[in-house]
Amino acid sequence: FYGAVPVAAKRTAVSDANLMVGYVGGDEPRATACAVITATSKGAAAKAAEEIALSYWNAREEFRFGPVTGPLAEMLDIAEKAETSPVILADSADNPTGGGVGDRADVLNALIARGFDGALIAGITDRPAVEACFAVGKGATLAVTIGGSLDGSSTPAKVQAEVVLLSDTGVAAERQAVVRIGGITVVLAARRRPYHNIADFTLLGLDPKAVRLLVVKSGYLSPELAPIATPNLMALTQGVVNQDIEGLTSNRRARPAFPFDRDFSYIPQARFSARWTDR
């Protein structure tokens, strides 16, 4: 489908063709998908835009998640039974690079409940928890609440944790702390940030290849993490960028809209920019 989009840009009078897939996490009228064409002919522009839009509509039921995807409990069942490592689990609904808050402790709570041994969670945004770790110092054990410092709708984890490592660049907002809770290691960050690169781990003395289960807050795996995943799992967790699309809040979206509505027809109709000039 995507391979066919640039074909439109090769047509006479069309200089560029794009499909903006929209941002389904944004409950706003303008967050929908849109074909965008730059051309010197209104007719050529309209034809290309409407063909791309209709092609997207016709393919709507065929899109699938790339990795094995399902509810958190089912994904953790697979991880527990896996004989290969590292299993990498994407906590998809709390992905900070996709608009997620990054501070939910749902996966941590679930792993603690299972008594999971050999997991690394990178990371959970929680500045108060990071500061508490710095206050007691490396090697100390403390009672700490992890998660929910930003998203009040989530359930934090109240744990006894051992401070394994403290990372301080001299900027309070950049501080990180690595703690251990039984067989679970957790990276805590003072600010919202992803852990997509191998260096994100090695700088903290961690080896993502050496753990049984690596949990990252992501909707997909980065080019550096994807090759080491055996297998790659994506959990349909709770959060503001929940990938269980039909369950998202829809108070302000333009309706009807797929997949929130299904019983309607669609005829694409091009709209021209107010800046269009005939030359």
Side-chain angles (χ1 to χ4, degrees), residues 182-200:
I184 305 167
T185 300
V186 183
V187 179
L188 302 174
R191 66 172 176 86
R192 296 169 65 242
R193 52 157 297 168
Y195 290 82
H196 284 174
N197 302 318
I198 299 297
D200 295 333

Side-chain angles (χ1 to χ4, degrees), residues 20-63:
M20 316 303 281
V21 299
Y23 180 61
V24 74
D27 184 17
E28 294 290 339
R30 66 188 183 93
T32 185
C34 185
V36 182
I37 308 297
T38 302
T40 56
S41 162
K42 274 191 172 183
K47 188 174 189 301
E50 290 170 2
E51 285 182 359
I52 291 172
L54 186 60
S55 180
Y56 194 21
W57 171 259
N58 289 339
R60 67 192 184 282
E61 298 284 4
E62 304 305 316
F63 289 97

